[in-house]
Amino acid sequence: MIVSMIKKSEDSSQLLRVTITSNKEIAPGVYYLSYQRTHDFLAGQVIKVSLDENNPPRIYSICSGNLDPETSILFNIKEGGLLTPKMARLRPGDNLLVSAPYGGFISSGQSEWWISTGTGIAPFYSMIRSGLGNKCRLIHGVRSESQFYFQKEIRSVMGEHYMTCCSGEEVPGSFYGRVTDWLSALDELPTNIKYYLCGKALMVVDVRDLLIERGIPFENIMAEIYF
Amino acid sequence: MTADITTPLIPPIFGKTLTELRMIVSEAGLPGYTATQLADWLYKKNASSFEEMTNLSKKGRQFLTDHFSVGVMVPKKIQSSIDGTRKYLFPAAGGKFIETAMIPENERITVCVSSQVGCKMGCLFCMTGKQGFQGQLTAGEIVNQIRSIDEAGQVSNIVYMGMGEPFDNLDEVLKSLEILTSEWGYAMSPRRITVSTIGIIPGMVTFLEKSEAHLAVSLHTPFDDERRTLMPVQVAYPIADVINEIKKWDFTKQRRVSFEYIMFQGLNDTPKHVQELSRLLNGIKCRINLIRFHPIPGTPLQGSNDETILSFKDKLNSKGILTTIRASRGQDIYAACGLLSTKELIKKSQNPS
């Protein structure tokens, strides 16, 4: 059984060689890469990823459920990047170095709002697949419709609590604009719940400023920035 | 690493290391010693045109003029504080701007340089973070902040504590350090340079391997959950891991490590913080710099009062951790720690009225 081989979380500075089971381009320039799960983890945690021992690892949020047989990450190709163009070319059977999962971007298990842009959906998708989506609301902002990753599956779990915002084009059923525009237009925001933010720096700081201005205590705001 | 900023059509030569200059002169078919002469003109004689470089052959000067600009930038604006601190605004590639602070203190002149336009780290207490990230600075744009201020030539100390996270722009920061500390460059002692990081571990390790400059780490609280709400980087690089890495390095000799600690009222200024700091830093020869919080617009945070800061300092000192309070400088011109920002200028350039 796979489960018996799964390790408890350990030192994240050690990298472990794993074999890739799939690597699919799920939107232009965006890849979903998987390998057989090696460790237990909590949804929202991250792993360090590297192609070889000579390059410093990069950090990615796990983008799969904590009981899924495979662990996955979601990444886009960064032009001129050292890692992602090569990682995009990996095929099943190729090797990758990964660390044990770690990090404290963990759901409280209570009602929460999750706000993300682009591939920043990854930790929330992991939370949804780990059974944490029922009490929460997810807001996902993108530039084009193709970037609403896992849309059908998320919609089936979260229904009306899944809000999509598209700033680059009008998409039926989605708010036309940025997540900050959508949030600004709301009359009221709950102040007694936790807010989880994940994406690029400017979105995170803008949304955080907006939430604080609307009376949400900063202690209730947790952010992860992709850099 | 520098792909984010539009590369100027004529590449600048200021900011090239000796190795890079050697490659350039070799490709141009110029004698090898031209590279050393170039470095001398750029970094010792402060030349601002190729015509000045009179010991270069005419052919050499022509080649350089045809293919390069010198690339030194004069400041667009200078603001002076009542305490003598000055803030310089420099243009960077792609129509962007960076800020540099010059802080005089007795005989010392410390320059606080920026390493990025904006910042990706998004710390809750920092003005630079609020503008997001606009681009990496080149080594030339970093060194130019020393070269093109009125106090050039008198600078005694350099701190990489301006806009940006230095280890998120590692290659260019390392190159700038090489230019500043090499004999062929500014020949400054690395012991007069401090690079400050939020704790990007891979970059920090490479820096510790390749440079001898001092290290400063933005700590701000020893507790994981508190640090997460102040500094999103805590999710990716927890402070405990940063400290574990630092413990592997020798800071008992000439190289120093210090920890920056902004004091927030009721948040990170309690006896339990003293206790945990002393536990966390146990075994590291270091200094803690306590910094008064300089409030930024819309901040939910409040700075600790002077009494609390003094008592916090005394308690840490009595635990055996050398602790000092950093004087706040240049607050009236927004040059103080955490206040640098070119957000308004970016907005203006995007929406010219």
Side-chain angles (χ1 to χ4, degrees):
Chain A
M1 289 291 287
I2 296 165
V3 177
S4 65
M5 293 166 63
I6 290 173
K7 299 174 188 168
K8 294 281 172 209
S9 206
E10 54 193 54
D11 182 5
S12 68
S13 63
Q14 302 298 317
L15 297 183
L16 179 75
R17 191 171 294 276
V18 293
T19 305
I20 290 159
T21 50
S22 72
N23 189 18
K24 292 178 201 143
E25 187 173 12
I26 62 167
V30 180
Y31 289 77
Y32 190 64
L33 180 151
S34 307
Y35 58 90
Q36 200 174 73
R37 181 158 60 97
T38 54
H39 294 82
D40 283 334
F41 67 91
L42 297 167
Q45 287 193 308
V46 297
I47 51 169
K48 293 175 184 167
V49 176
S50 183
L51 290 171
D52 55 59
E53 286 86 355
N54 302 325
N55 286 303
R58 290 273 174 184
I59 295 171
Y60 286 89
S61 294
I62 295 175
C63 189
S64 50
N66 61 358
L67 293 177
D68 287 341
E70 292 178 326
T71 297
S72 308
I73 57 168
L74 182 68
F75 67 93
N76 48 20
I77 297 184
K78 285 198 186 108
E79 231 175 279
L82 290 173
L83 177 65
T84 53
K86 288 181 187 161
M87 208 153 72
R89 290 198 291 272
L90 294 176
R91 296 283 165 262
D94 290 344
N95 287 329
L96 190 68
L97 298 176
V98 301
S99 74
Y102 71 99
F105 196 71
I106 307 292
S107 169
S108 66
Q110 306 296 312
S111 173
E112 295 165 348
W113 278 31
W114 300 336
I115 302 167
S116 65
T117 47
T119 54
I121 189 108
F124 304 124
Y125 182 63
S126 177
M127 291 175 192
I128 293 165
R129 286 197 60 85
S130 305
L132 298 165
N134 301 330
K135 297 178 196 161
C136 301
R137 180 180 280 258
L138 170 68
I139 299 120
H140 188 209
V142 298
R143 283 214 192 97
S144 73
E145 191 179 8
S146 66
Q147 295 163 335
F148 287 131
Y149 319 115
F150 323 113
Q151 188 177 19
K152 270 189 195 159
E153 185 183 347
I154 296 174
R155 177 81 60 209
S156 74
V157 176
M158 303 190 86
E160 292 300 302
H161 287 143
Y162 169 49
M163 184 67 216
T164 51
C165 303
C166 190
S167 62
E169 57 185 335
E170 284 194 63
V171 176
S174 288
F175 175 80
Y176 182 36
R178 293 166 185 269
V179 289
T180 38
D181 302 327
W182 184 80
L183 288 164
S184 302
L186 296 180
D187 289 336
E188 224 173 306
L189 290 167
T191 53
N192 56 348
I193 60 160
K194 295 246 183 215
Y195 288 79
Y196 285 67
L197 280 43
C198 185
K200 291 265 184 204
L202 195 55
M203 180 285 278
V204 166
V205 293
D206 281 352
V207 170
R208 191 176 59 197
D209 278 356
L210 188 152
L211 296 177
I212 289 168
E213 206 183 296
R214 301 283 288 265
I216 287 122
F218 75 88
E219 301 94 329
N220 286 3
I221 306 168
M222 176 96 85
E224 176 163 28
I225 292 177
Y226 283 178
F227 58 88
Chain B
M1 291 292 271
T2 51
D4 300 285
I5 283 185
T6 317
T7 311
L9 287 176
I10 307 169
I13 203 146
F14 185 82
K16 302 281 183 205
T17 61
L18 187 59
T19 312
E20 289 172 324
L21 292 173
R22 282 192 179 124
M23 279 169 66
I24 289 167
V25 301
S26 151
E27 276 170 31
L30 297 167
Y33 57 78
T34 312
T36 327
Q37 290 175 318
L38 254 174
D40 202 52
W41 281 111
L42 290 170
Y43 306 127
K44 292 197 190 297
K45 295 186 180 136
N46 294 324
S48 39
S49 72
F50 292 121
E51 292 81 69
E52 286 171 62
M53 304 181 182
T54 43
N55 63 350
L56 265 59
S57 67
K58 225 174 171 183
K59 180 189 157 201
R61 271 180 277 162
Q62 192 56 52
F63 170 82
L64 292 166
T65 309
D66 291 346
H67 295 86
F68 293 95
S69 62
V70 175
V72 290
M73 300 270 201
V74 294
K76 277 258 276 209
K77 193 174 162 188
I78 306 169
Q79 285 172 279
S80 296
S81 161
I82 46 166
D83 69 16
T85 300
R86 302 178 95 189
K87 187 168 75 171
Y88 289 87
L89 180 74
F90 284 104
K96 300 185 173 72
F97 292 96
I98 46 159
E99 292 184 330
T100 307
M102 186 287 300
I103 307 137
E105 190 190 9
N106 303 325
E107 298 304 302
R108 276 161 58 144
I109 288 187
T110 301
V111 178
C112 177
V113 296
S114 296
S115 56
Q116 297 181 314
V117 184
C119 185
K120 298 178 198 164
M121 302 301 135
C123 297
L124 183 63
F125 45 81
C126 177
M127 195 69 183
T128 306
K130 279 183 178 254
Q131 77 182 66
F133 174 74
Q134 283 79 39
Q136 303 287 20
L137 294 188
T138 61
E141 287 167 332
I142 297 170
V143 179
N144 184 61
Q145 298 171 64
I146 308 294
R147 152 74 172 77
S148 295
I149 56 174
D150 293 347
E151 297 76 13
Q154 306 162 47
V155 176
S156 55
N157 297 72
I158 299 172
V159 293
Y160 284 64
M161 297 184 185
M163 301 170 71
E165 162 55 47
F167 298 156
D168 186 43
N169 186 17
L170 182 68
D171 293 349
E172 297 300 314
V173 164
L174 288 176
K175 272 204 269 176
S176 69
L177 289 168
E178 190 185 339
I179 294 165
L180 290 167
T181 58
S182 295
E183 276 307 314
W184 50 261
Y186 288 84
M188 275 188 78
S189 163
R191 310 301 177 197
R192 292 185 173 276
I193 302 177
T194 302
V195 181
S196 179
T197 180
I198 198 171
I200 309 279
I201 298 171
M204 184 176 84
V205 171
T206 311
F207 160 79
L208 289 170
E209 281 166 0
K210 295 194 173 172
S211 166
E212 289 176 61
H214 300 308
L215 175 71
V217 177
S218 297
L219 178 54
H220 306 319
T221 172
F223 294 109
D224 184 68
D225 52 346
E226 280 176 9
R227 200 166 184 267
R228 272 202 308 261
T229 63
L230 293 172
M231 306 165 77
V233 74
Q234 176 71 8
V235 171
Y237 295 112
I239 193 66
D241 292 358
V242 178
I243 301 291
N244 282 339
E245 184 58 46
I246 286 172
K247 283 184 176 166
K248 296 177 192 165
W249 296 81
D250 185 5
F251 291 102
T252 62
K253 300 199 174 71
Q254 282 182 310
R255 178 180 236 176
R256 293 195 301 257
V257 60
S258 56
F259 294 92
E260 316 290 328
Y261 199 94
I262 304 177
M263 299 286 292
F264 300 109
Q265 189 185 331
L267 180 73
N268 66 352
D269 60 358
T270 73
K272 85 174 180 172
H273 290 89
V274 173
Q275 201 65 35
E276 185 60 13
L277 278 171
S278 113
R279 194 197 61 78
L280 186 71
L281 302 180
N282 184 30
I284 305 176
K285 187 180 174 242
C286 63
R287 170 201 295 256
I288 294 183
N289 274 318
L290 301 179
I291 303 170
R292 284 183 188 83
F293 176 50
H294 306 122
I296 56 174
T299 179
L301 302 164
Q302 278 191 312
S304 310
N305 60 34
D306 283 359
E307 201 183 327
T308 310
I309 297 176
L310 273 172
S311 134
F312 200 78
K313 180 190 107 164
D314 291 344
K315 283 180 190 144
L316 283 168
N317 277 324
S318 70
K319 290 265 183 196
I321 306 175
L322 177 63
T323 305
T324 49
I325 300 171
R326 186 189 289 164
S328 294
R329 302 289 302 273
Q331 214 173 334
D332 54 334
I333 54 164
Y334 286 88
C337 177
L339 296 183
L340 298 180
S341 169
T342 48
K343 187 173 188 171
E344 289 309 310
L345 289 165
I346 293 162
K347 269 195 204 158
K348 270 186 206 161
S349 68
Q350 283 169 350
N351 310 301
S353 49

